């Protein structure tokens, strides 16, 4: 089992079919946290508590973190120099004791239930002990945004 950072293949197809709307106030996106036992990659199609069939691969409920993760604040879309991008606000979970290796961003509003957008690999286990766990999204630039489309 492994977490491989990737945009979900199903998301690419669904995007062309109009299933995802990243406009501010449109579709709702969440982020769920996973342990190193999870299997997340480009083949992931939807949020699941135990992707890859492993037991207990989503981090356990603790503090503000509950199963399914947390809602992301969508700061909208923009385009510069031919690169379209979306920007999410950083997401913090308070009062938590957890260890996460990666995450899944998914769309709770899509026709396909809890449709996967992308898997994130943190590079190593990240831990918070009776504290705050924050996912910092990169700047919304044409070379760094979490989701970008260029041609």
């Amino acid at each position: 089992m492994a977490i491989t950072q990737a945009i979900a293949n199903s998301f690419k197809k669904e995007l062309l079919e109009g299933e995802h709307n990243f406009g501010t106030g449109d579709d709702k996106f969440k982020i769920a946290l996973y342990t190193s036992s999870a299997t997340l990659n480009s083949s992931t199609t939807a949020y699941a508590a135990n992707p890859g069939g492993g037991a207990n691969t989503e981090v356990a409920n603790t503090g503000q973190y509950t199963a399914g993760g947390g809602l992301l604040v969508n700061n909208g879309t923009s385009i510069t120099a031919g690169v379209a991008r979306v920007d999410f606000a950083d997401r913090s979970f308070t009062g938590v004791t957890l260890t996460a290796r990666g995450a899944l961003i998914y769309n709770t509003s899509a026709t396909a239930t809890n449709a996967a957008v992308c898997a994130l690999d943190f590079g190593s286990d990240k831990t918070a002990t009776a504290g705050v766990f924050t996912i910092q999204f990169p700047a919304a630039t044409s070379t760094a945004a979490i989701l970008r489309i260029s041609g």
Side-chain angles (χ1 to χ4, degrees):
M1 295 183 225
I3 298 174
T4 303
Q5 186 149 314
I7 294 177
N9 290 332
S10 56
F11 169 76
K12 295 171 194 175
K13 180 178 180 289
E14 292 161 359
L15 192 61
L16 294 175
E17 295 169 347
E19 290 293 323
H20 301 274
N21 187 342
F22 287 92
T24 305
D26 290 310
D27 286 1
K28 304 297 180 209
F29 297 88
K30 292 181 85 174
I31 189 164
L33 303 175
Y34 292 90
T35 69
S36 59
S37 297
T39 299
L40 297 171
N41 53 46
S42 62
S43 296
T44 302
T45 58
Y47 162 78
N50 298 308
N56 303 318
T57 58
E58 183 177 5
V59 300
N61 293 348
T62 175
Q64 191 187 44
Y65 187 86
T66 57
L71 192 62
L72 291 172
V73 173
N74 183 348
N75 290 332
T77 61
S78 58
I79 188 165
T80 305
V83 179
R85 58 193 172 269
V86 67
D87 182 32
F88 293 114
D90 294 348
R91 181 62 165 99
S92 294
F93 297 97
T94 59
V96 298
T97 297
L98 60 82
T99 298
R101 170 59 195 235
L104 180 72
I105 296 175
Y106 64 100
N107 185 349
T108 65
S109 305
T111 302
T113 305
N114 295 328
V117 172
C118 63
L120 304 176
D121 179 3
F122 297 156
S124 63
D125 284 347
K126 305 297 181 188
T127 301
T129 304
V132 179
F133 190 93
T134 301
I135 297 101
Q136 283 188 310
F137 288 98
T141 67
S142 58
T143 57
I146 193 71
L147 289 173
R148 1 182 239 291
I149 300 173
S150 64

